[in-house]
Amino acid sequence: MTATTTPIDNGVDVEFLRGAREALTAEPAGAKFQWRVTNTWVHGTHSQSTVQGFFGLGEEQDASRDFRFDADHPELFSAENNGATPVEMLLASLASCLTGGIAAVAQNREVQLHSVRCSIEGDMDVRGILGVDPDVRNGFSGIKVTYEIDADASAEDIEALVAQSQKRSAVYDILTNPTNVSVEVA
Amino acid sequence: MTATTTPIDNGVDVEFLRGAREALTAEPAGAKFQWRVTNTWVHGTHSQSTVQGFFGLGEEQDASRDFRFDADHPELFSAENNGATPVEMLLASLASCLTGGIAAVAQNREVQLHSVRCSIEGDMDVRGILGVDPDVRNGFSGIKVTYEIDADASAEDIEALVAQSQKRSAVYDILTNPTNVSVEVA
């Protein structure tokens, strides 16, 4: 399927993914995952989120992980700009989900990637979050993602990689379809 | 409205926010914002997102900002765990949006916050993203956010702070309602 003589290597272990697909087809209970974050208010609109373990394959996993995300509002909003805004973090989440998916799909289709980059834009009328006009939604009116990809594949095959990543993306699904969110005070 | 003698200070400039609301009621064009992220593939499922300037109040803003987010899959997925997963980043986005909102609403209602912390859980059946079963969605089956808040307010007033933050949250809106996302290759 390819003219190169060196093995295709995008750094994704597709043998593992194929094995996981088979194993979870046989044992669906292992497919129930729970991802978790804790968030602590610092000051003003500044808070810090911490990502550690998760639940999957029937047990607690990877408790040694420790990733931190600061979020804040920019100085334009008279805030202290100690981190990205939550909506920028959401765009980063979508972009990284699609990009990781492109690498995995490319590996599965034996397409060598050289570079993958996207820019992502979210349009928002801030009259929604400020409560100026109840007919203006709080969230984005739309999100546009534009990829530039250098790979050993035709333009058509590159388009197909992106489309397949989009089809299997968790974050794309969450943004484009309604997700149930409950918010409680303990 | 409060029994304390010191001014309520959660670090949020509500005078600014009230002024912005008035100004954007008079001049709605200034309310059109665009938030942007670029994302670059590193290796495997590892990518890095960069947050810099944005557009708002009719012009380019804050080009000196520079926040980076690494995303990856964990070792359990035979990946290199160079960052949080995209879906954990999404949970951090939601948590930080709600927490920043709680601080702003509390300031507006003259409620002194002492501590605000939440845990957030997203349940997912990974048979969706693995393509095992087309009836299983890729995204979360549900998200649960639980706050613990210490503030100079009744339990009822604390519940109302959280409810108002939820009502005005951009990320809560984006997750619970469908958002249009276009994905293209340049």
Side-chain angles (χ1 to χ4, degrees), chain B residues 103-126:
Chain B
V105 174
Q107 186 69 42
N108 197 42
R109 296 184 178 184
E110 298 188 2
V111 171
Q112 182 64 53
L113 298 175
H114 299 298
S115 70
V116 180
R117 188 178 174 282
C118 74
S119 60
I120 175 165
E121 300 169 349
D123 289 312
M124 177 184 290
D125 186 328
V126 298

Side-chain angles (χ1 to χ4, degrees), chain A residues 33-38 50-56 59-68, chain B residues 74 76 81 84-85 87-88 91 120-122:
Chain A
F33 275 60
Q34 185 178 77
W35 304 97
R36 302 168 188 145
V37 170
T38 58
T50 302
V51 171
Q52 295 181 308
F54 57 92
F55 181 88
E59 58 189 347
E60 293 298 317
Q61 300 285 352
D62 285 3
S64 63
R65 293 162 80 236
D66 192 352
F67 301 111
R68 310 260 167 164
Chain B
L76 182 72
N81 192 44
T85 62
V87 293
E88 290 168 321
L91 295 178
I120 175 165
E121 300 169 349

Side-chain angles (χ1 to χ4, degrees), chain A residues 185, chain B residues 153-160:
Chain A
V185 182
Chain B
S154 68
E156 193 176 36
D157 286 350
I158 290 173
E159 294 262 6

Side-chain angles (χ1 to χ4, degrees), chain A residues 11-21 23-24 30-35 53-62 65 97 100-101 103-104 107 168 170, chain B residues 43-46 71-88 122 124-131 138 140:
Chain A
V12 178
D13 185 351
V14 289
E15 295 305 322
F16 170 83
L17 295 174
R18 287 178 193 139
R21 186 152 52 189
L24 296 175
K32 293 197 184 302
F33 275 60
Q34 185 178 77
W35 304 97
F54 57 92
F55 181 88
L57 303 184
E59 58 189 347
E60 293 298 317
Q61 300 285 352
D62 285 3
R65 293 162 80 236
C97 194
Q107 187 69 43
R168 290 265 70 86
Chain B
H43 184 252
T45 49
H46 178 202
D72 201 355
H73 285 177
E75 290 175 4
L76 182 72
F77 290 5
S78 192
E80 293 177 357
N81 192 44
N82 286 302
T85 62
V87 293
E88 290 168 321
M124 177 184 290
D125 186 328
V126 298
R127 290 181 299 164
I129 53 175
L130 286 169
N138 298 327
F140 292 125

